Amino acid sequence: MSGVLGGGIGDKGLKLSLMETLRHAWADDDLRPRILFVITMFAVYAFGVNVAVPIPGVSTEAIVDKLKSIPMFQFLDVFGGGALKRLSIFALGLNPYITASIIMQILSASIPSWKKELQEGGEYARRQQNRRIRLLTLILCVVQATSLLSIIKTAVPITTGDIITVTVFWTAGAMFLLWVGEQITEKGIGNGISLMIFAGIIISLPTQTGAIIKQIQDGFAHWYQLVLLFLIFIAVTWIIVLFTTAQRRIGIQHMRRQVGTRMMGGTSSYLPLSLNLAGVIPIIFAMSLAFMPLQFAAAFPADSWPHEALQTVQKFLAPSFSSWEGVAACFVYSALIFFFTYFYTAIQYNVEDMSNHLKRAGSFIPGVRPGKQTKDFLDGVISRITLVGAVFLAVVALLQFLAPEITGLQNVGYFFGTSLLIIVSVALETMRQMEASLLMKQYER
């Protein structure tokens, strides 16, 4: 999962321009079919978004009117390309898989036997891990589907039979999307799961743009607000690109050693640490936790005290700048992002393992003794990087709630925040893979 929506260790720079990379990739006989396959799968996804699960007597307009004010609904709908408001077979999107992958990654780092299995088990251990993720994904599909339908049931009459039917279709749709993502990884270019999430957000953009234009046409907004929105969008995109590609490069010296009759090593390189080590995962975790009381509240009658208590708690967990409860929730939301950034970085990047690996390879950081000093040095560097990354993620995450207050436009938050961060990260990562493939062919010649 570290490659999906994640930052990490690796060179983040691009040696070729965007247009040059695309031009060379399209001209390449090996990359062009892969690009066409990705585009075809995007078309399949866009078609499936518009295939609704029929429920007798239920109109999507009533559902949208009921749920359009719920941030969690908007969040899931945008990530799914508008599939949720259409009651599409792809309504759940890849959200269950993302959550399952993150949970399993945390458990694998926390359970010693699973961690040892992944480190030493090779391909068999990876297949076992994938089976666990798929099983948990199936369970989460059912849980998320029934939770969403329970909320929808408060707006429109849905029978138990309808809930079962829709849950089955939504689960099948989510698993199909998972299969499509794996096919893109195998036969396309880039990480298939990341690209499917990217596609869902891109599919939503025309609808979001149309809503803003309609506000101006109806006289609820002015053209200069649109210009302000565009300027903020450009500035935030530039900042996200800057932080996504930024690195802290630690110099590494490799000792000379004799291998057979040849002398190896004696060179220097660097260890690149991305400024955003955790990627977008802390925001997704914080968002899921922030709207959990709302899902639990749907399980109780509207006039019961558990429902009212959970609704009250939700007010202090749903970020907003329109009320004092929402402002307090912004601080809670930021604290959750900080916590998950440090937590995820700690389990993902073990400084002791990194230090031992350098020592076994006969490499060292200039001016730092191998062993404990190297471990302490790396721990300090990663801690400082994580602090900067956490501040960056918190600011980006809050922008989607702050943007409507700045511009005076409604429904513009999802041009920023998590959506924009994912679009930029996935686009850059895909371009890097294309560029790496092109450069590798040049070296082979």
Side-chain angles (χ1 to χ4, degrees):
M1 184 65 187
S2 59
V4 181
L5 308 178
I9 298 176
D11 198 339
K12 299 293 182 182
L14 288 172
K15 298 177 177 61
L16 302 175
S17 67
L18 175 63
M19 296 307 299
E20 190 177 2
T21 300
L22 289 174
R23 182 170 60 84
H24 286 301
W26 187 257
D28 187 87
D29 292 335
D30 179 52
L31 286 179
R32 186 170 58 255
R34 290 177 173 271
I35 295 172
L36 287 172
F37 182 81
V38 174
I39 294 173
T40 303
M41 292 299 101
F42 282 179
V44 171
Y45 184 21
F47 174 77
V49 163
N50 293 282
V51 178
V53 181
I55 303 177
V58 174
S59 64
T60 56
E61 291 78 8
I63 296 174
V64 172
D65 289 340
K66 173 67 178 180
L67 302 178
K68 64 182 179 182
S69 61
I70 301 177
M72 182 190 69
F73 169 77
Q74 298 178 22
F75 179 80
L76 294 175
D77 191 55
V78 170
F79 270 55
L84 183 56
K85 69 182 180 184
R86 297 183 178 94
L87 290 180
S88 165
I89 56 174
F90 293 159
L92 293 181
L94 287 164
N95 293 293
Y97 173 77
I98 295 171
T99 306
S101 298
I102 297 172
I103 292 173
M104 291 307 301
Q105 194 169 38
I106 292 175
L107 290 177
S108 298
S110 305
I111 302 175
S113 59
W114 285 13
K115 183 177 180 180
K116 183 178 180 181
E117 181 186 53
L118 285 175
Q119 290 175 341
E120 303 175 359
E123 184 62 29
Y124 173 78
R126 283 189 289 272
R127 287 199 300 267
Q128 287 292 101
Q129 181 76 342
N130 286 335
R131 291 193 189 98
R132 296 188 191 112
I133 292 175
R134 280 176 171 76
L135 178 60
L136 184 56
T137 301
L138 278 171
I139 296 172
L140 289 177
C141 281
V142 175
V143 172
Q144 290 189 14
T146 52
S147 296
L148 287 171
L149 289 171
S150 297
I151 297 174
I152 292 174
K153 190 176 180 180
T154 61
V156 293
I158 301 178
T159 65
T160 303
D162 292 334
I163 291 177
I164 295 174
T165 301
V166 175
T167 299
V168 170
F169 274 99
W170 281 2
T171 301
M175 300 308 294
F176 176 75
L177 285 181
L178 175 56
W179 177 81
V180 170
E182 291 173 344
Q183 294 302 304
I184 291 177
T185 302
E186 180 182 347
K187 301 176 183 178
I189 185 75
N191 185 290
I193 303 299
S194 298
L195 285 169
M196 293 303 292
I197 298 169
F198 173 89
I201 298 173
I202 293 297
I203 291 172
S204 296
L205 288 182
T207 303
Q208 302 295 322
T209 304
I212 294 174
I213 294 175
K214 191 174 187 304
Q215 290 181 52
I216 296 176
Q217 291 175 341
D218 294 343
F220 294 107
H222 303 282
W223 64 268
Y224 62 83
Q225 293 174 288
L226 186 61
V227 173
L228 178 60
L229 175 68
F230 178 75
L231 293 176
I232 296 174
F233 177 81
I234 295 298
V236 173
T237 302
W238 181 81
I239 292 172
I240 290 177
V241 171
L242 178 66
F243 273 81
T244 302
T245 57
Q247 295 176 335
R248 167 69 160 91
R249 296 183 174 184
I250 301 174
I252 302 294
Q253 185 68 39
H254 306 282
M255 296 177 62
R256 292 178 62 85
R257 53 183 178 176
Q258 186 168 354
V259 180
T261 58
R262 299 178 60 186
M263 292 297 295
M264 305 292 290
T267 59
S268 60
S269 62
Y270 61 86
L271 174 65
L273 296 174
S274 174
L275 197 60
N276 183 20
L277 286 170
V280 75
I281 289 176
I283 298 179
I284 294 176
F285 246 44
M287 182 71 76
S288 300
L289 190 60
F291 293 108
M292 195 171 290
L294 184 64
Q295 298 186 49
F296 286 143
F300 298 96
D303 56 348
S304 63
W305 72 264
H307 180 89
E308 294 179 358
L310 289 169
Q311 289 281 13
T312 302
V313 172
Q314 182 62 63
K315 291 181 181 179
F316 292 92
L317 290 177
S320 171
F321 287 92
S322 58
S323 64
W324 73 270
E325 296 97 334
V327 173
C330 288
F331 286 99
V332 176
Y333 188 49
S334 299
L336 288 173
I337 291 174
F338 268 75
F339 171 77
F340 285 121
T341 301
Y342 274 93
F343 180 76
Y344 185 79
T345 302
I347 66 172
Q348 187 68 21
Y349 304 102
N350 190 316
V351 291
E352 187 171 357
D353 289 346
M354 294 168 66
S355 174
N356 292 335
H357 178 74
L358 290 174
K359 188 175 182 180
R360 287 194 299 267
S363 305
F364 62 94
I365 300 172
V368 182
R369 289 180 178 274
K372 186 177 184 303
Q373 282 193 13
T374 298
K375 174 183 174 297
D376 294 340
F377 176 81
L378 290 174
D379 189 41
V381 170
I382 290 179
S383 295
R384 291 191 293 272
I385 290 175
T386 303
L387 175 61
V388 177
V391 172
F392 162 69
L393 289 177
V395 171
V396 169
L398 291 176
L399 269 175
Q400 68 187 70
F401 307 105
L402 186 60
E405 303 298 325
I406 296 175
T407 62
L409 296 170
Q410 300 300 316
N411 302 319
V412 299
Y414 294 95
F415 282 89
F416 304 97
T418 312
S419 303
L420 187 56
L421 181 59
I422 291 175
I423 289 175
V424 171
S425 300
V426 174
L428 286 174
E429 184 60 34
T430 305
M431 289 297 104
R432 277 193 289 268
Q433 291 196 27
M434 287 186 185
E435 183 185 75
S437 179
L438 292 170
L439 293 175
M440 183 63 69
K441 289 191 175 183
Q442 290 183 0
Y443 291 141
E444 289 174 353
R445 293 172 188 169

